[in-house]
């Protein structure tokens, strides 16, 4: 009986009573390991062209597996893509936290994007354009706005300019990180500080100004 937790690997059959050399064993991956292998390959494949333009054959080729092997782990392309997005979202949350922003958040976001650029692009570039998966990015965006609003309330008076800054800063930050990835990740040690300067510019613009003629 085959092991349900491992993918089958067929070695060479022995011929004769005393073979001169044993066949090199093929490493058998447990189900969880194989699933992670598929998710890693799918992340790379989807990040190159997006969901619609990437077929399961592309993912299978990227993983070095058969299409039938993918179906042992995922029911459909949509199921696989959702799992890829969920994994990218989980890694991002683990790296940056989900409850508050502080001086460590932006550097952590940059590090997370640098460590997983394909997953980051899938979440914030591709998923945002795909109606079937837009719910995930919408939930992330809503949570980011709520956290930004709460954190900025101590610096900017309540009102439309606070709302403006709370909406703009998360979007600006994500686009700045993606632009940094696309530029080849220059100056990784200074990237977070450079992006933070842009964030401070939004904060300064949102502060009420004194009308000298008022």
């Amino acid at each position: 009986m085959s092991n349900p937790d491992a993918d089958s690997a067929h070695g060479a059959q022995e011929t004769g009573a005393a073979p001169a050399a044993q066949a090199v064993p093929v490493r058998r991956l447990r189900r969880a390991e194989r699933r992670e292998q598929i998710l890693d390959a799918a992340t790379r494949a989807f990040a190159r062209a997006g969901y619609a333009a990437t077929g399961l054959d592309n993912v299978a080729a990227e993983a070095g597996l058969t299409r039938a092997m993918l179906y042992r782990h995922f029911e459909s392309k949509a199921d696989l893509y959702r799992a890829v997005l969920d994994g990218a979202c989980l890694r991002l949350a683990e790296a940056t936290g989900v409850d508050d922003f502080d001086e460590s958040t932006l550097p952590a976001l940059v590090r997370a994007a640098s460590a997983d650029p394909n997953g980051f692009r899938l979440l914030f570039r591709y998923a945002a354009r795909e109606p079937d998966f837009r719910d995930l990015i919408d939930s992330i965006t809503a949570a980011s706005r709520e956290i930004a609003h709460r954190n900025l309330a101590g610096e900017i008076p309540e009102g439309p300019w606070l709302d403006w800054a709370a909406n703009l800063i998360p979007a600006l930050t994500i686009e700045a990180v993606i632009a940094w990835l696309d530029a080849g990740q220059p100056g990784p040690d200074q990237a977070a500080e450079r992006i933070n300067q842009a964030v401070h510019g939004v904060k300064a613009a949102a502060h009420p100004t004194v009308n000298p003629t008022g």
Side-chain angles (χ1 to χ4, degrees), residues 168-180:
L168 179 56
I169 286 176
L172 171 67
T173 300
I174 293 300
E175 288 302 319
V177 173
I178 289 178
W180 175 72

Side-chain angles (χ1 to χ4, degrees), residues 53-193:
T54 304
L56 285 179
D57 288 336
N58 302 120
V59 176
E62 184 75 28
L65 301 172
T66 65
R67 186 184 176 112
M69 183 70 76
L70 300 187
Y71 280 115
R72 296 184 190 181
H73 298 266
F74 300 95
E75 294 181 357
S76 64
K77 185 175 82 164
D79 182 41
L80 173 58
Y81 192 63
R82 176 69 67 173
V84 167
L85 295 178
D86 287 345
C89 187
L90 178 61
R91 290 190 295 274
L92 185 64
E94 290 175 343
T96 62
V98 295
D99 296 327
D100 214 341
F101 292 156
D102 58 30
E103 67 277 0
S104 68
T105 302
L106 190 49
L109 181 68
V110 171
R111 288 194 300 271
S114 179
D116 186 22
N118 289 328
F120 197 89
R121 288 189 179 100
L122 281 177
L123 275 178
F124 297 109
R125 173 173 287 168
Y126 288 113
R129 303 171 184 172
E130 294 156 355
D132 290 344
F133 305 96
R134 183 64 194 248
D135 61 310
L136 178 60
I137 190 64
D138 283 348
S139 67
I140 294 173
T141 300
S144 297
R145 287 173 176 169
E146 190 278 328
I147 295 171
H149 194 283
R150 187 172 66 244
N151 281 263
L152 292 169
E155 303 179 50
I156 303 170
E158 189 71 34
W161 286 112
L162 172 58
D163 297 338
W164 174 77
N167 287 334
L168 179 56
I169 286 176
L172 171 67
T173 300
I174 293 300
E175 288 302 319
V177 173
I178 289 178
W180 175 72
L181 292 175
D182 291 347
Q185 303 184 32
D189 294 337
Q190 296 83 36
E193 179 53 36

Side-chain angles (χ1 to χ4, degrees), residues 25-45:
V26 178
R27 182 169 180 261
R28 302 169 67 192
L29 297 181
R30 297 185 67 81
R31 185 174 183 82
E33 293 175 314
R34 181 67 76 193
R35 179 182 171 89
E36 287 305 311
Q37 178 193 9
I38 293 170
L39 287 172
D40 288 344
T43 300
R44 295 191 298 272

